[in-house]
Amino acid sequence: MKTPSLRSLIREKLRAAFLCFAILFGLSAGTANGAILTFAVGATNGVTNSQVVVPIRVSQFTNISSFQFSFHWDTNVASFVDVEQFGLQGMAVTDFGVFPTGTVTVAWFEPNASTTNLADGATIFGIRLMLTGRPAATGLVTIDSTPTALLAGDENLSSVPVTSVNSILSIDRTLIVVGS
């Protein structure tokens, strides 16, 4: 994936600002059944110099019209390759910002000004990383609000309770067999 253009960064920031404004000044907060939308980072492992896909999965993704957050990984363990496996209508690489500090930001809006429902455990996207660390190295893979706030909106663009579940990226030990 290429470094984002100025135009795509401006677009992302405008979309994020609109989402923040809409959520902060929405008509109501919360969901009818008290469910909390959860973004969960999948645990992934592989050998040094291999590529892995870290899945981002959801639960309680009901009547969601928009969301945004920041994803992080340890740059001593892996480097960014691409975003893929989009599981939401209208999601594209232009919804993401990639930074060399081990951060990917995402801001998604339902493209038909409607809402989307997904089954618990559905993958909304994957982040492909190249494992660059030493064997047995591990690093956290996390979702948080820095620099892009962890927010989600419903059909009224009202704030939805949201949380994240973080995970670990690990590099397998390698066994070197020397001939006798």
Side-chain angles (χ1 to χ4, degrees):
M1 177 180 205
K2 294 181 181 178
T3 303
S5 69
L6 180 59
R7 183 181 186 123
S8 67
L9 287 173
I10 291 171
R11 180 178 173 228
E12 175 191 341
K13 296 304 176 193
L14 286 174
R15 290 175 72 177
F18 174 75
L19 176 63
C20 289
F21 179 80
I23 289 174
L24 288 173
F25 296 102
L27 298 175
S28 64
T31 59
N33 63 4
I36 298 174
L37 170 60
T38 302
F39 295 97
V41 181
T44 307
N45 66 293
V47 297
T48 299
N49 296 320
S50 66
Q51 293 184 12
V52 296
V53 177
V54 179
I56 307 301
R57 297 186 178 105
V58 292
S59 61
Q60 301 300 323
F61 198 97
T62 305
N63 295 325
I64 301 299
S65 64
S66 58
F67 68 82
Q68 66 176 38
F69 58 79
S70 298
F71 170 85
H72 307 278
W73 68 93
D74 184 338
T75 56
N76 293 315
V77 176
S79 62
F80 177 80
V81 177
D82 207 354
V83 290
E84 59 184 63
Q85 300 180 8
F86 303 131
L88 288 164
Q89 181 178 0
M91 182 171 270
V93 296
T94 55
D95 294 329
F96 297 86
V98 181
F99 302 89
T101 56
T103 299
V104 170
T105 59
V106 59
W108 173 82
F109 293 81
E110 205 289 328
N112 300 313
S114 183
T115 63
T116 297
N117 299 314
L118 295 174
D120 287 352
T123 298
I124 56 171
F125 65 89
I127 297 182
R128 182 171 292 276
L129 299 173
M130 170 68 79
L131 299 178
T132 57
R134 297 173 17 158
T138 61
L140 293 175
V141 279
T142 63
I143 291 174
D144 66 17
S145 290
T146 305
T148 301
L150 174 58
L151 300 171
D154 64 12
E155 65 272 12
N156 298 316
L157 292 178
S158 296
S159 180
V160 172
V162 62
T163 191
S164 64
V165 177
N166 299 320
S167 194
I168 293 178
L169 178 65
S170 59
I171 299 179
D172 299 338
R173 295 179 185 271
T174 51
L175 176 64
I176 300 173
V177 178
V178 179
S180 50

